[in-house]
Amino acid sequence: MRPHARVVELQRAHLEEGLASGVEITSSGPTSIEKASGQSVKLDCQFNLDAVDSGPLDIEWSLISNDNQKEDKVVILYAGDRSYDDYFAQMKGRVHFNSADPKNGDASINLTGLKSVDSGTYQCKVKKAPGIRSRRMLLIVMVKPSKPRCYAEGPTQEGKDIVLRCKSNEGTNPLQYSWDKTSGGKLLPSSAVLDPVGGTVNVRNASAGASGSYRCIASNRVGSEECTLYLNVTPPPNTAGIIAGAIIAVLLFLIIIAIILFCCCRARHRKKYEKEICNEISQRSSLGSMSPSNLHEYALKPQYDKIPSDEYERPPSSVPLPPPTATRMAGPNLSRMGGIAVMIPAQNRDGSIV
């Protein structure tokens, strides 16, 4: 609907209301209602008729659009002594008249299973010619906070700054957070700094007295949820002890490595020694299996550890040459050549005449 047409319609509505002298809306309750999602709400619209109102009774509930360029949406309608509650698909099955017979003066409606999208301005219009009256109500559907999550951030040690956090993932703003201690003195530590919007508690320079149970409450105008946590502030670690332990662990590791290397080397040498022993035993077994003739031949073989005899030390020039063998010639041949036959007595190897 265009802005000019909208103005014309409003002017006409005001004119009709000025001319109407019979219909009167008598509801005087709040015109703004806040409800949580999932709840139900009654939008009140009571009216009175006058004898001058002779036309048919029409009751119309509509959701006013925030954009002047868009038309209003009819939510539920009563006309011709009949209710029509299926005009608005978004609310189908969740809206109905409060009275079974609205013409008796009760045009109120009930909305069930509220959702955040149901928020808006609703208008009740009662028309019975010649009279027309209307009433508007603002409905705000808020989402209550979901169950928050509580946790500690940072090292929970003495002398450190510890941050306690509380966060609700769902809920209509503004959300507010509050913290309290449920054990011990039931008071937050004196060094604690609370942030009600961010949902944090900063415990500065924490001490053992800060240990205990804490509770966080997340809330808005339609509901609240809470969570708890237990904070255990521990003494700082013994740094010197940790360093000494690390050094001892390294030394033990090096000792173990040295023992393993020593055992490996010893096993390797032992294996080599056993192999040499086996070879020597094998050689001795081979000698023991020889026959006497084989042993005699083995003894006659030159050994490298024996001293060479004089025969090997004599130079080659001193070795006696074998005597020349005389060629025997027959007597006639020898005489023919002018030779004289001579008899040589036979000798033994030692030179004696046979």
Side-chain angles (χ1 to χ4, degrees):
M1 184 181 295
R2 296 181 179 179
H4 178 69
R6 179 71 174 175
V7 172
V8 172
E9 182 183 357
L10 291 175
Q11 290 177 349
R12 184 174 58 188
H14 287 306
L15 180 61
E16 290 176 350
E17 290 180 3
L19 295 174
S21 58
V23 178
E24 292 289 340
I25 293 179
T26 59
S27 296
S28 59
T31 57
S32 179
I33 301 176
E34 292 181 352
K35 287 291 183 177
S37 61
Q39 293 182 341
S40 300
V41 66
K42 177 184 176 181
L43 302 182
D44 191 53
C45 187
Q46 306 290 333
F47 67 92
N48 288 330
L49 296 177
D50 194 88
V52 297
D53 299 326
S54 57
L57 176 64
D58 292 334
I59 301 173
E60 179 186 286
W61 277 91
S62 58
L63 179 61
I64 305 301
S65 175
N66 294 327
D67 188 354
N68 293 330
Q69 301 296 327
K70 297 181 179 180
E71 295 182 356
D72 301 338
K73 298 177 181 178
V74 177
V75 176
I76 192 170
L77 180 67
Y78 178 84
D81 296 334
R82 181 180 175 184
S83 298
Y84 301 89
D85 55 5
D86 56 354
Y87 270 86
F88 194 23
Q90 179 179 308
M91 292 186 179
K92 187 176 182 178
R94 297 191 296 119
V95 58
H96 58 274
F97 282 102
N98 184 62
S99 174
D101 191 3
K103 67 182 179 180
N104 292 330
D106 185 7
S108 304
I109 61 173
N110 294 320
L111 299 178
T112 60
L114 290 175
K115 303 177 181 179
S116 59
V117 293
D118 297 336
S119 298
T121 301
Y122 292 80
Q123 176 178 267
C124 170
K125 182 186 291 186
V126 180
K127 178 181 179 181
K128 187 173 177 64
I132 296 176
R133 288 290 185 272
S134 64
R135 183 174 189 259
R136 292 187 177 186
M137 301 182 65
L138 176 62
L139 174 63
I140 301 174
V141 181
M142 303 182 66
V143 179
K144 66 179 295 186
S146 61
K147 187 175 181 62
R149 174 175 171 256
C150 295
Y151 60 96
E153 189 177 80
T156 57
Q157 300 172 0
E158 293 181 5
K160 300 290 185 179
D161 290 347
I162 303 174
V163 179
L164 305 183
R165 293 191 177 276
C166 178
K167 180 65 176 176
S168 182
N169 293 327
E170 296 180 359
T172 302
N173 292 322
L175 292 178
Q176 293 290 320
Y177 297 92
S178 62
W179 282 89
D180 61 347
K181 192 176 182 183
T182 59
S183 65
K186 295 189 177 181
L187 293 175
L188 293 177
S190 58
S191 62
V193 178
L194 175 64
D195 181 4
V197 178
T200 62
V201 174
N202 188 358
V203 183
R204 297 177 179 175
N205 194 20
S207 62
S211 299
S213 298
Y214 291 80
R215 177 180 60 183
C216 171
I217 301 175
S219 61
N220 58 11
R221 292 195 298 268
V222 293
S224 63
E225 285 288 347
E226 64 181 48
C227 61
T228 59
L229 68 80
Y230 182 80
L231 177 63
N232 182 26
V233 181
T234 59
N238 185 0
T239 307
I242 294 176
I243 295 175
I247 293 174
I248 293 174
V250 171
L251 292 177
L252 289 175
F253 178 76
L254 294 177
I255 291 173
I256 292 173
I257 294 297
I259 292 174
I260 293 174
L261 293 176
F262 174 77
C263 293
C264 292
C265 293
R266 186 174 180 183
R268 184 177 179 182
H269 292 164
R270 184 174 180 180
K271 186 175 181 181
K272 183 177 181 182
Y273 175 75
E274 290 178 352
K275 185 176 181 180
E276 292 177 353
I277 294 297
C278 290
N279 292 336
E280 185 177 350
I281 292 174
S282 177
Q283 292 178 359
R284 292 182 179 180
S285 298
S286 299
L287 292 175
S289 61
M290 289 183 178
S291 61
S293 60
N294 292 338
L295 288 174
H296 177 69
E297 292 177 359
Y298 180 78
L300 292 178
K301 293 180 180 180
Q303 301 297 322
Y304 294 103
D305 57 346
K306 290 182 180 182
I307 300 174
S309 60
D310 297 337
E311 184 179 358
Y312 291 96
E313 294 179 353
R314 186 180 305 167
S317 59
S318 61
V319 176
L321 296 175
T325 304
T327 303
R328 294 183 180 181
M329 293 180 144
N333 293 332
L334 186 61
S335 298
R336 233 183 257 135
M337 295 175 63
I340 300 173
V342 179
M343 292 186 64
I344 300 173
Q347 295 180 356
N348 291 331
R349 287 186 179 181
D350 56 359
S352 58
I353 298 173
V354 179

